Amino acid sequence: MLLDPETENDVAYELCQLLGRAILPIRRTEAGAGDGDRGEGTAFLFTGQGREYLLTADALTRSGAGEIGLRASVTEPAGVAADAVALPDLADGWRHHEEVGVAVLPTGGLHEHAAGAGWRWRTQQVPDPIAADRDAIARIGVEPGSAVVLAHGVGAGGARPLEVAIERVARVGDAVRLMAELPAGYVGAPVFGVQAGGDGEVGLRCLGLVLPARDGGHPLATFDRIRAAVDAT
């Protein structure tokens, strides 16, 4: 569904309020790896079947060391957590679904890490009811529709600000794609759209996550396939 610019801005604002603390920066700490040759990407928290998972693009998690960045709003009490959770072996713990392009990390270990360091997570999650199912993905057509991406970009000095990009999404051949290339840090980020359901009711849907750029845009790992990967984890 293509929205007018004012409505797009309203949707983006509401998403930041509802899900801003579900979005986390992830970084491969080995030079020359990953997005933009610096390894920066985005991950997000998802709840399905009563469990919480961290999701990102599999291309960001294949090897080497890495870290999950922490901003003050996602931890409590204030001032206790470090700036990042180190992942000495980035590939370890993730369930890699190369055929989908997604990596899935059950978050039990992250909660244990926080408890051992004297803090706890204060996050939001993308809930399963707004994740697009097979029918919702099938309704994405060749005409571009509005898409909102929540991501941690890459700022001056390596800062990772929470950002919003309003883009266009469409079906190109067998793939669902964002129609423009995104800045560094956006690979792995969730993509949201507004759709009319089979009953005609309009609602927000998480369509999937951003995969590495190709042919002037970004293919998406769509949530019908992501959900199957999560169920298999």
Side-chain angles (χ1 to χ4, degrees):
M1 179 179 292
L2 185 61
L3 308 174
D4 63 81
E6 182 176 354
T7 303
E8 287 179 333
N9 288 332
D10 289 343
V11 170
Y13 176 81
E14 289 300 324
L15 279 170
C16 285
Q17 304 308 303
L18 294 172
L19 296 174
R21 288 186 284 112
I23 315 300
L24 300 171
I26 186 170
R27 184 168 74 95
R28 290 174 65 174
T29 52
E30 293 180 343
D35 179 26
D37 286 335
R38 291 178 294 184
E40 294 98 344
T42 296
F44 65 98
L45 293 163
F46 168 72
T47 51
Q49 296 187 341
R51 297 188 64 189
E52 181 187 68
Y53 304 89
L54 189 66
L55 308 179
T56 193
D58 189 47
L60 295 170
T61 65
R62 297 305 300 181
S63 63
E67 64 183 21
I68 297 169
L70 301 174
R71 61 187 193 276
S73 62
V74 303
T75 70
E76 58 184 9
V80 176
D83 293 334
V85 175
L87 303 172
D89 185 349
L90 185 57
D92 188 41
W94 295 88
R95 308 299 190 265
H96 302 280
H97 299 273
E98 187 175 2
E99 73 286 357
V100 181
V102 66
V104 180
L105 179 69
T107 59
L110 297 179
H111 289 283
E112 290 174 4
H113 171 86
W119 56 275
R120 56 189 173 272
W121 294 89
R122 180 179 174 268
T123 54
Q124 297 160 316
Q125 299 86 27
V126 174
D128 186 71
I130 73 166
D133 58 17
R134 187 180 302 274
D135 290 341
I137 298 301
R139 285 194 292 272
I140 299 174
V142 298
E143 292 298 323
S146 298
V148 179
V149 186
L150 296 186
H152 279 276
V154 181
R160 300 298 309 275
L162 182 64
E163 298 178 352
V164 179
I166 298 175
E167 300 293 339
R168 297 290 176 261
V169 64
R171 185 175 300 280
V172 180
D174 293 333
V176 176
R177 295 177 55 86
L178 291 176
M179 307 307 290
E181 289 197 24
L182 296 169
Y186 278 64
V187 169
V191 180
F192 300 88
V194 175
Q195 286 191 336
D199 57 3
E201 183 178 351
V202 175
L204 182 71
R205 296 289 182 267
C206 185
L207 304 179
L209 62 78
V210 179
L211 296 178
R214 189 171 68 237
D215 301 327
H218 291 267
L220 301 188
T222 53
F223 234 112
D224 55 339
R225 302 188 71 199
I226 291 173
R227 185 181 282 104
V230 169
D231 290 346
T233 297

